[in-house]
Amino acid sequence: MFVTDIRKEFYEAVADQRVALLVASDIDALCACRILQALFQCDQVQYTLIPVAGWQDLGTAFLEHKDQIKLLIKQDDDLGVPSYDEIFRDDDEDEEGGDSGNESDEGTEPSGKRRRFDEGSVERRIERQREKREWEARRREILFDYEQYEYHGTSAAMMFFELAWVLTKDTKDMLWWAIIGLTDQWVHDKVTHMKYVTDIATMQRHVSRHNHRNEDEENSLSIDCMRISFEYDLRLTLYQHWSLYESISNSCYTCCHFKLWTLNGQKKLQEFLADMGLPLKQVRQKFTSMDMSIKENLREVIEESSNKYGMKDIRIQTFGVHFGFKNRFLASDMVHATTALLESTEKDENETDNFIKALDSLSRSNLERLHSGMDLAKKKLIAIQQTVASCICTNLILSQGPFLYCYLMEGTPDVKLFSKPMALTLLSKYLLRAFIQSTRNKRCRLLPLIMAAPKDVEKGTVLVVGIPPESETSDKKNFFGRAFEKAAESTSSRTLHDHFDTSIIELKTEDRSKFLDALITLLS
């Protein structure tokens, strides 16, 4: 069923029912869930929240609740995809069909028959047939692309915020969640830069509307107020909650540019800090403890020096939020913290506990949980940077012909962190960019990357992720989902295609070699 009016065909249809909310394990889905929860609370809609990590969880949830679930679908005759002839009605043929049986009493030829042989009618029919062939060829091409590649559209959180806006029930909290959902797509490199900038502009209009609406409110300067602002901020991860030195060292953009896994890269970083005129004592302490005189013009100073060192994109369009007078966060800070909580590998915590903690961290009334997420995010970013350095320095990235391949061995430091899909995906994208900066082989720079890490040692499984080639003009379409399916089928490899992202699969460790051989043959 295609929903063309989300208000009438979705929200009004479920508003008087008890709703089962099936929420995937990613940040955009969590933000969309928070917006829907707020809407349901406004309209007193009862709901059950069910976290689903993949297709198996989705099937289990459906079976558990199938007696209570009503599927809202149209009648069978409304479900069929229309044919070309139904979309483009042929008025001339209708007229011909209507007149074809009207013969005169004198026995003259039927008027429809005369029209059928009319020269203009024949030309029109030929033109229509040509258009029909072109339309069907285009349809096949679109369906092939849709089934062959995986890509992301508009953020789910943004879509549900638009619904809240249409219902005139949107709040600043909902707007902030929509912004976090959009930023998740940028942080995890799911959409093109153009798509991100376009959606940022949409969110900016909503931010201006809300800020203008609340200008005269009495609580606009209260201790628990919330202020969202458009920012042109630095691409330095968590720098306002870390030291500037640590942030530069562990941010993908700066680390890859300076090649910080080399001695020469470390020297360049020292030169970069000296060029900015920032004392090491200042950049190595927490950002909040730095001198105010340094912090006031810090962004401009960093941007000026970055341009000298070839980092012309050091600043990015984003949003920031103030909770009261003390707490300030960028949208990307929220994404990293919530992701770290969602994929926490701490002992005695299961996936459901992590899901609830991540959901709670999005609430401004639970800042302690958010700060604990930031601490976990810092550990993860350090682990990613160290793993990238180790993989490049020990030549773990191998060219397998049509793609690059890297396998993290059991016993690698922090390998448990990368048994989670988002963490391994982030590592893979970071590693591919770092490898492109370090290799002299021009052909390897155009290749995609397949990365594998131990998933469950007891079960003998590995997690495999496929990353498309890295380029500025990349359309972010991933073809590995179909390739993984075909390779597993042709070799009878024991795989689990359970993740909603089809380019992430689980594979039996002993089937790894034959699976890779099949992929090489398939993609060559």
Side-chain angles (χ1 to χ4, degrees):
M1 175 179 175
F2 291 96
V3 176
T4 54
D5 187 330
I6 195 170
R7 177 180 180 173
K8 289 181 180 178
E9 296 178 24
F10 165 68
Y11 192 75
E12 290 178 3
V14 302
D16 58 348
Q17 308 283 335
R18 183 180 179 88
V19 181
L21 267 180
L22 306 172
V23 187
S25 296
D26 72 67
I27 309 309
D28 184 29
L30 288 180
C31 293
C33 172
R34 292 293 290 176
I35 294 170
L36 268 179
Q37 283 180 305
L39 282 176
F40 288 165
Q41 191 173 356
C42 284
D43 294 326
Q44 297 181 334
V45 178
Q46 291 185 323
Y47 66 90
T48 301
L49 181 59
I50 309 167
V52 287
W55 293 107
Q56 286 185 347
D57 285 355
L58 191 62
T60 304
F62 178 76
L63 290 173
E64 285 178 359
H65 300 86
K66 66 178 180 180
D67 295 333
Q68 304 167 40
I69 291 176
K70 293 178 183 177
L71 294 179
L72 301 171
I73 59 173
K74 293 187 177 182
Q75 297 300 314
D76 291 343
D77 55 356
D78 291 333
L79 287 172
V81 177
S83 66
Y84 177 91
D85 295 326
E86 288 171 343
I87 294 173
F88 303 102
R89 272 186 73 85
D90 193 339
D91 294 331
D92 290 340
E93 285 185 4
D94 287 347
E95 290 175 13
E96 289 167 13
D99 294 340
S100 60
N102 296 339
E103 296 187 8
S104 63
D105 294 336
E106 285 81 9
T108 57
E109 279 188 284
S111 58
K113 200 168 185 178
R114 286 198 300 275
R115 275 200 203 93
R116 201 174 296 122
F117 291 105
D118 180 78
E119 191 174 324
S121 179
V122 171
E123 288 178 359
R124 285 196 298 275
R125 181 167 294 171
I126 292 169
E127 180 64 20
R128 282 194 300 272
Q129 288 173 346
R130 184 186 63 79
E131 288 175 357
K132 182 176 180 178
R133 284 194 298 271
E134 289 178 355
W135 185 86
E136 288 176 342
R138 178 65 179 147
R139 180 176 179 273
R140 283 194 298 271
E141 183 184 332
I142 290 170
L143 285 174
F144 176 81
D145 270 2
Y146 181 76
E147 293 170 356
Q148 191 77 5
Y149 299 104
E150 179 186 64
Y151 50 92
H152 294 81
T154 302
S155 154
M158 269 188 70
M159 290 173 65
F160 282 119
F161 176 77
E162 294 284 343
L163 169 64
W165 178 46
V166 168
L167 294 167
T168 64
K169 293 175 181 175
D170 57 313
T171 64
K172 275 193 174 180
D173 283 298
M174 292 183 191
L175 177 56
W176 181 235
W177 294 326
I179 288 168
I180 296 169
L182 166 60
T183 308
D184 170 57
Q185 293 191 318
W186 173 69
V187 168
H188 291 103
D189 202 30
K190 294 178 180 178
V191 292
T192 62
H193 181 71
M194 183 56 68
K195 170 67 175 166
Y196 172 72
V197 169
T198 303
D199 287 346
I200 279 283
T202 302
M203 288 290 97
Q204 192 177 357
R205 288 193 290 272
H206 285 298
V207 168
S208 299
R209 178 172 58 83
H210 271 271
N211 288 343
H212 179 71
R213 189 168 72 182
N214 296 330
E215 271 178 1
D216 301 324
E217 289 187 6
E218 290 182 6
N219 69 339
S220 61
L221 292 175
S222 66
I223 197 166
D224 61 345
C225 71
M226 179 181 187
R227 298 186 302 268
I228 303 173
S229 57
F230 174 76
E231 307 275 354
Y232 198 49
D233 218 309
L234 301 168
R235 295 177 71 170
L236 300 178
T237 313
L238 299 172
Y239 77 94
Q240 294 176 3
H241 308 276
W242 213 349
S243 72
L244 192 61
Y245 184 84
E246 290 281 6
S247 179
I248 293 173
S249 298
N250 295 290
S251 295
C252 178
Y253 183 74
T254 46
C255 180
C256 291
H257 186 83
F258 286 126
K259 302 179 189 175
L260 292 180
W261 52 88
T262 64
L263 285 173
N264 193 36
Q266 291 291 333
K267 287 178 184 176
K268 273 189 180 179
L269 175 58
Q270 299 298 327
E271 290 171 9
F272 175 68
L273 295 171
D275 185 78
M276 291 190 292
L278 299 178
L280 278 177
K281 183 181 177 182
Q282 289 289 325
V283 296
R284 286 184 180 273
Q285 64 183 346
K286 281 199 75 171
F287 180 83
T288 49
S289 304
M290 289 176 70
D291 290 350
M292 285 301 296
S293 57
I294 293 176
K295 285 198 288 186
E296 279 176 0
N297 301 314
L298 184 66
R299 285 185 282 193
E300 289 73 20
V301 168
I302 291 177
E303 184 177 25
E304 186 180 339
S305 293
S306 296
N307 286 334
K308 292 180 186 175
Y309 281 80
M311 295 185 290
K312 300 190 183 298
D313 301 322
I314 192 68
R315 292 175 80 166
I316 188 77
Q317 296 177 50
T318 186
F319 293 93
V321 69
H322 279 87
F323 297 137
F325 302 117
K326 184 179 179 182
N327 297 290
R328 182 179 183 274
F329 304 98
L330 291 175
S332 57
D333 299 340
M334 300 288 293
V335 172
H336 283 288
T338 311
T339 305
L341 287 168
L342 188 61
E343 293 194 332
S344 172
T345 54
E346 300 286 315
K347 290 180 180 178
D348 304 324
E349 290 183 358
N350 57 38
E351 289 185 354
T352 305
D353 292 335
N354 290 341
F355 180 90
I356 293 168
K357 287 180 179 178
L359 200 61
D360 285 348
S361 72
L362 293 171
S363 170
R364 55 172 152 156
S365 62
N366 209 334
L367 293 179
E368 280 186 24
R369 183 63 49 77
L370 181 61
H371 284 295
S372 70
M374 287 188 178
D375 291 337
L376 288 174
K378 291 171 190 175
K379 290 177 184 176
K380 186 171 88 169
L381 287 164
I382 291 170
I384 287 175
Q385 194 273 335
Q386 289 174 346
T387 306
V388 166
S390 173
C391 289
I392 290 177
C393 294
T394 56
N395 297 316
L396 280 182
I397 305 166
L398 307 173
S399 176
Q400 297 283 6
F403 57 85
L404 302 169
Y405 175 68
C406 180
Y407 177 60
L408 294 182
M409 302 289 290
E410 180 62 36
T412 305
D414 302 305
V415 74
K416 192 178 178 183
L417 277 173
F418 306 118
S419 63
K420 303 292 184 179
M422 283 190 285
L424 186 59
T425 303
L426 200 63
L427 170 65
S428 303
K429 291 180 183 293
Y430 196 153
L431 182 59
L432 184 57
R433 287 174 187 170
F435 179 76
I436 288 169
Q437 289 287 338
S438 61
T439 186
R440 294 180 181 177
N441 189 327
K442 291 183 179 179
R443 181 181 172 277
C444 285
R445 294 177 183 178
L446 306 174
L447 294 178
L449 171 68
I450 292 177
M451 189 154 193
K455 170 71 176 173
D456 191 321
V457 179
E458 291 179 3
K459 293 180 181 178
T461 58
V462 294
L463 191 67
V464 181
V465 172
I467 303 296
E470 179 69 27
S471 72
E472 291 180 3
T473 57
S474 172
D475 56 9
K476 306 300 179 187
K477 289 184 178 180
N478 196 323
F479 56 85
F480 276 115
R482 261 294 176 84
F484 286 166
E485 286 177 19
K486 290 180 179 176
E489 188 180 337
S490 64
T491 57
S492 301
S493 296
R494 289 161 293 176
T495 56
L496 180 62
H497 303 260
D498 185 50
H499 205 272
F500 293 126
D501 188 337
T502 58
S503 60
I504 302 172
I505 65 166
E506 284 183 47
L507 172 71
K508 277 286 185 181
T509 308
E510 54 263 34
D511 293 340
R512 195 160 44 94
S513 296
K514 65 179 182 179
F515 179 77
L516 283 174
D517 290 341
L519 272 178
I520 293 168
T521 305
L522 190 66
L523 299 175
S524 292

